[in-house]
Every structure is written in C-alpha cells, then in structure tokens.
Amino acid sequence: MDENTRNDTLIEVVQDPFIVDLLKELPFFPLTPRAKEEYPSLPEADFALEIYAQKYKEEGILFLGDDGERKMWGPDCNYYHKKDYKGSYYKVYSPRGAKNRTFYLYQHKQSLSQIDQPKPAVDRRAMAHCSEKGWRLARSNDRHILKFPQEILDLIIRFSVCVERSVSLCPMTVTCNWRRLWSQHHYKLVHSKMSGGWSRSLRTKRYEQLEVQSIIQVQHRDREGSYTEIRNATRIAIDASCLRTCKAFEEVGSKLLYGDNEFYFSMTCTDWEGCPPSVLHPKDSEQWRPNPHQPQVDGAWLSKVNSAIGQVKHQVVLKLLPGWVAYDDFLRFLWTIGPEKAALLKSLKFRGLVKIHSCGGAYCANCRETGLLDSLRLYIHFLLKLCPRVETLTIYPSEDTRFERNPQMLPAGHPTTRDEALIQLLENEIRQIPGLKELNVLKEIYNSDDGQYSEEPLECAEATRAWLKERHIRNVRQYCEEAMAKHISEIESRTGPYTARAADRLTSVGEESMGLEHGY
C-alpha cells in the first residue's frame, strides 16, 4: 500500500464517529497536528510528538530523556486540601430578616476526622520518601525523631511552618458564610518587592508563584520495560497540620510558626464588602453584623479598649465581640489564636492610610477604611497586654492627598502632612512597647522599568529608631551587669574575693557576646 492509499484509508477510518470518540480519549490525539505544525521539518509524526510532549510537559506521552531512559509526564500532585469546598457538610439557609440573602451553615458540628483529612493515598505514596517505612519507631528508640538534637528538629519543622524572610504571612481570619462573599480561614503571601495591594490567595489555581513546587519521579513498567513518570508536586507554603501530631511538635512548631514568621495586616474597610454579614446559628432569625467602626476617643475610650482586651484574652464567643474587634484583621487574628500563641509573636507589619482629613466617605472611599494611626493606637494597648515579645515593627504609611482638593475637610489644629502625624505617634505611643528593638517606617517607590516597588525609610522615624536602639543597648548592658554580679557573688562564695580586673574582663566579654560593641 502506497502512502496516498494509506492516508485515504486513515481519513475514512477517522471519519467514523465511533472511531473518533475512541481516538479523542487518547491523550495524544489532539496534540499530533500541533506537534507537526511546530516541528514541520521532522519526517515522523511520532518523533515530533515526543519532542512536543517533552517541551510542553504533556501528560501520557512517552519520550526519551537526555539520559536515554523512557520518561513520561504524569498528572500534577497537589499535596494540599482546597479551602473553597462547599459540599455536603453545608446547608443553604436564609433567615427571615436577611433580605433574601442566603448563607452556608454546617449541617452538623465538624468532627476531628472531617477536619484532619489525610491526603489522597496515591499522592501520599508518590510524595513518601523511600525510607518512610522505617520511621515508625517506639518512643524509647534512639532513632526516634524526638531524640534528634533540637537544632535538627527545628530545621525539620521549620521547613513546614516557615516561609522565607522576604515573604510575609497575611492571615485572613475574618470569615463570612454569606453566599456572595463566602470565605473560610486562610492566608495570603505578601512579597516585600511587590506592591501593597499585591497578594494572592494560596487556594487559587495559579499557584506557581506562591506555593512550593518540586519534581517527583515514580517508576512503572509496561510491556516494553520500565519507564519513569515525572510529576510536578505542589504543596502550600505553610502546612501546620504536623503540629497536631503530639504536644512536643505543637510546642516546638508554635514557637517557629508565630515567632519566626512576619505577619502582615491591612486596615479594615467598614463597608458591606469589607465587613459582610453572617448567620452564626440555624436558629438565628437575623443576620449578624455588628458595628465595625472603632470607638470614638472620649472619656470611655480606654475602658472600651480594656474590655475588648479581656474579651480577646478569654476568647469569648464571636457573637459577644464588639464589631470593631470582630472585623479587624489583626484583632480577630489575636482572638483566633488565643493569648498563648499571641505571646509568641515577634514581627508585625501594618499598612494603611495616614488620615489627615475626615469626610465620612462623602468625597472619597478612603474614609470608609480605618485610619492607620487610630488603629495603631488601639493595637498598642493589645500589644502591651497580649504580645510582650514583639521585637520588630514595620509600618507602611500611605499619604492622604485628598484634602488638597478639598481643604475645608482639614480639621483646624491637626497635622497637615503625613510625617507630622507620624511623629506624634512615634515619639509617644510606639516608645511604650517595652520589648521593641527594631522599627521600620517605609514608603514605597514604584520602578517603572521592572514594574516593582522598592522600599525607602522615612526620615521622620530616625529619632525614634535611634531611641529604641539606645534603650535596647542599655537593657542588654544592665542584663549583663546583673548576670556578672550574680556570677561573681557565686564565685566569691566558693573561692573568696574576686579581683576587679577579672570582673571587668568578664563584663566586657559578656557585652561583646551580646553584640554591644557592634551597635546592636
């Protein structure tokens, strides 16, 4: 049979609808024309298809790798559970006073087996290390994981619960079961070189820039011999499910998760999109949406703040929280994790608008968002009571330029620039945080060449930065002197009087070890 006769026969066969349906089930059927179009110089269609599959990672097509071995791209291994699932656990509910709004509610209380769902067995086998079968050891065994040195155990858990230093975690703990804006607890990643508004949920399909990817290889056999299936394995950047393994993991992992990561928070938008309603119980006849506006600064302001601190500390039920706490990203986060975890926080970032004018939202949408300075004055009271270990504070203040076009909105006697308003906060409230060592007040500069943002410190914060640095040096020196005095008294009680020269030498060695000679 010549070439033309064979092609005519194939065309007749392919025109059969039954054959066409069978061919469409094959992974390479729609790719062959594209492969021939991209590689027209290759005489064999199969050879073109192999090169095409290797280049574009098409699944189910065998090709020869650079090492001469047969390989094939397999399906992606998404090693995480999606958070946007609204399946059989939920029921659509619409209370009478909800104005035809519908809400998702749990039909039954979730059990631990529903929350702690294991990954699919196929993915677990593909992701498992070859030595995993030997990991199940008794606690008394010398090779048990909890017998590892603490440094190695920290490295293992840090791989699962920490991100790189250039990335900040933005926890999204303000949830909503309104069908239109339904959301669960999740988090976003914020890169330091990207714009303030740039943050994308890890639960979307476009995970390439956000999640951790690796390549896994699975060995298979067919009639022609063995071949390697190559799969893209994707896991989320933070997977804290290992902390539920035992108390030892929970203790070590919590310190790393909350102490070694930087947490990023934006200000609250008080409209219905930023503070949506919810229904907390099927028996509720009305939707729940408390007033999200912060309390006004008056004689009762401090008592309201202290009352809210007590409610967050004791983790009262959500329905009893004030609206300005329940809808605030940072305060809701403190309420969610509890006081024990909040005490582990070390590094925080806040972004918002330094409001100079106030128009009540009549002229601009910015006034629907809480101001950065007012929010920080609230947060500092929570930090003093619940977050004693905070060492690093980063602030991204945006300028308020609205009043330039409407000068009548500028209150009399108030600061007229962003820097003037910041200085009042920095020189008073910020310095009250006892453990604060590092303060960064940064403005962003857009680079049109690469489309990214660079950060530049504001000069108005330099005085407070220097004051905090000097305070930290004094505290460390005082700690060293007290420790040396205690050490010398212990030596004298055993061996007799200690020479002054030796005492000075010990003090200088202690200060050098604490980094005082290097300005830290």
Side-chain angles (χ1 to χ4, degrees):
M1 183 182 297
D2 58 2
E3 185 70 21
N4 294 331
T5 305
R6 184 174 61 180
N7 289 339
D8 294 340
T9 304
L10 288 175
I11 292 174
E12 292 177 0
V13 172
V14 171
Q15 288 178 349
D16 187 346
F18 180 72
I19 300 297
V20 171
D21 292 338
L22 292 178
L23 289 175
K24 286 183 178 179
E25 296 180 2
L26 299 176
F28 56 85
F29 176 73
L31 302 178
T32 304
R34 281 182 277 171
K36 285 293 293 180
E37 182 180 353
E38 184 156 347
Y39 303 102
S41 60
L42 297 177
E44 296 291 338
D46 294 343
F47 189 37
L49 185 61
E50 290 183 12
I51 299 178
Y52 185 88
Q54 183 177 7
K55 180 179 179 180
Y56 294 100
K57 301 180 181 180
E58 295 291 345
E59 299 178 14
I61 302 175
L62 288 167
F63 59 89
L64 290 179
D66 297 336
D67 54 358
E69 300 292 334
R70 294 197 308 155
K71 298 182 179 180
M72 179 179 67
W73 282 101
D76 291 348
C77 177
N78 298 326
Y79 204 63
Y80 60 89
H81 290 297
K82 295 182 179 180
K83 300 287 286 186
D84 56 356
Y85 174 72
K86 300 184 288 290
S88 59
Y89 300 146
Y90 295 92
K91 180 181 178 181
V92 178
Y93 178 74
S94 180
R96 294 181 179 178
K99 298 181 181 179
N100 297 325
R101 298 187 182 96
T102 56
F103 301 83
Y104 287 109
L105 288 172
Y106 284 115
Q107 293 188 16
H108 309 285
K109 186 178 180 180
Q110 278 190 308
S111 62
L112 186 59
S113 61
Q114 295 172 343
I115 299 174
D116 249 345
Q117 294 183 9
K119 309 297 189 299
V122 177
D123 294 340
R124 291 203 308 269
R125 289 194 295 268
M127 293 287 290
H129 192 266
C130 58
S131 64
E132 184 172 336
K133 294 182 179 180
W135 293 356
R136 294 183 178 180
L137 302 174
R139 185 73 177 267
S140 58
N141 194 297
D142 294 337
R143 293 181 296 160
H144 191 271
I145 188 171
L146 294 180
K147 297 293 181 67
F148 288 0
Q150 189 63 43
E151 296 81 5
I152 297 179
L153 188 60
D154 289 349
L155 288 175
I156 294 173
I157 300 180
R158 182 179 283 110
F159 177 79
S160 180
V161 301
C162 293
V163 295
E164 57 188 63
R165 299 300 297 176
S166 61
V167 180
S168 302
L169 291 179
C170 181
M172 310 298 290
T173 54
V174 180
T175 60
C176 172
N177 61 359
W178 182 16
R179 189 172 184 174
R180 177 182 169 188
L181 299 173
W182 186 88
S183 65
Q184 284 186 320
H185 291 132
H186 62 287
Y187 62 91
K188 297 179 181 180
L189 297 184
V190 179
H191 293 248
S192 59
K193 293 185 179 181
M194 309 302 285
S195 65
W198 187 92
S199 56
R200 189 184 299 160
S201 172
L202 289 180
R203 310 303 175 183
T204 59
K205 294 182 179 180
R206 295 187 292 177
Y207 52 75
E208 290 82 0
Q209 300 180 8
L210 298 175
E211 300 184 354
V212 181
Q213 280 195 318
S214 58
I215 300 294
I216 57 176
Q217 299 183 3
V218 184
Q219 298 297 324
H220 295 283
R221 293 190 65 86
D222 59 7
R223 290 178 297 179
E224 299 181 10
S226 62
Y227 67 93
T228 303
E229 182 187 43
I230 308 173
R231 302 178 64 183
N232 280 321
T234 306
R235 67 175 181 86
I236 55 176
I238 297 291
D239 188 356
S241 58
C242 63
L243 305 187
R244 292 196 287 265
T245 305
C246 61
K247 290 184 178 180
F249 268 49
E250 196 272 340
E251 181 179 358
V252 175
S254 295
K255 293 180 181 179
L256 296 173
L257 175 62
Y258 297 103
D260 285 15
N261 287 315
E262 292 182 328
F263 292 88
Y264 171 98
F265 301 93
S266 299
M267 299 299 102
T268 304
C269 185
T270 56
D271 59 9
W272 277 73
E273 295 286 337
C275 302
S278 293
V279 173
L280 304 182
H281 195 273
K283 295 183 179 180
D284 292 344
S285 59
E286 296 182 356
Q287 59 189 7
W288 177 79
R289 188 185 183 271
N291 183 10
H293 296 280
Q294 295 176 350
Q296 296 182 354
V297 180
D298 52 19
W301 182 84
L302 186 59
S303 63
K304 293 178 182 179
V305 173
N306 290 330
S307 176
I309 293 174
Q311 292 173 319
V312 171
K313 184 176 181 180
H314 295 95
Q315 291 184 290
V316 300
V317 295
L318 179 60
K319 206 168 186 177
L320 298 180
L321 283 178
W324 58 274
V325 175
Y327 285 117
D328 187 280
D329 288 336
F330 176 61
L331 301 182
R332 180 73 171 266
F333 173 67
L334 296 181
W335 175 82
T336 302
I337 64 177
E340 294 183 1
K341 303 294 192 304
L344 302 175
L345 296 173
K346 292 184 178 181
S347 182
L348 299 174
K349 292 184 176 182
F350 298 100
R351 177 186 301 277
L353 177 70
V354 179
K355 286 188 177 183
I356 296 177
H357 83 284
S358 178
C359 65
Y363 296 94
C364 64
N366 290 332
C367 282
R368 302 190 191 117
E369 183 180 293
T370 56
L372 176 64
L373 301 186
D374 293 337
S375 297
L376 286 176
R377 289 188 175 94
L378 278 173
Y379 297 163
I380 288 174
H381 289 272
F382 286 83
L383 294 178
L384 295 176
K385 298 292 182 63
L386 301 176
C387 308
R389 299 184 184 179
V390 171
E391 299 176 352
T392 305
L393 183 62
T394 304
I395 303 174
Y396 295 93
S398 302
E399 287 190 275
D400 184 3
T401 58
R402 185 68 185 181
F403 72 93
E404 294 178 356
R405 286 170 286 176
N406 295 277
Q408 71 276 6
M409 295 186 295
L410 185 63
H414 283 238
T416 58
T417 64
R418 174 191 61 185
D419 293 358
E420 290 180 9
L422 279 171
I423 288 175
Q424 298 179 6
L425 176 75
L426 297 175
E427 294 184 353
N428 296 289
E429 288 87 349
I430 292 295
R431 297 186 182 187
Q432 296 177 9
I433 305 176
L436 189 61
K437 301 177 183 178
E438 181 180 353
L439 174 67
N440 302 307
V441 183
L442 308 173
K443 67 176 180 179
E444 292 181 332
I445 302 176
Y446 179 72
N447 188 353
S448 59
D449 295 334
D450 56 4
Q452 293 188 349
Y453 287 76
S454 60
E455 298 174 350
E456 182 178 317
L458 291 179
E459 295 182 1
C460 63
E462 292 303 318
T464 302
R465 284 170 52 86
W467 186 88
L468 292 174
K469 184 177 179 179
E470 293 176 359
R471 184 184 67 176
H472 176 56
I473 292 175
R474 290 196 306 269
N475 293 339
V476 174
R477 181 174 286 113
Q478 181 181 357
Y479 172 80
C480 291
E481 292 175 354
E482 293 175 355
M484 290 302 108
K486 182 179 179 181
H487 182 64
I488 291 173
S489 63
E490 292 177 354
I491 295 178
E492 288 180 346
S493 63
R494 296 194 303 265
T495 61
Y498 209 67
T499 62
R501 184 176 180 181
D504 294 340
R505 175 59 183 162
L506 280 177
T507 304
S508 63
V509 170
E511 292 180 354
E512 183 177 359
S513 64
M514 297 297 290
L516 292 179
E517 293 187 356
H518 302 283
Y520 295 104

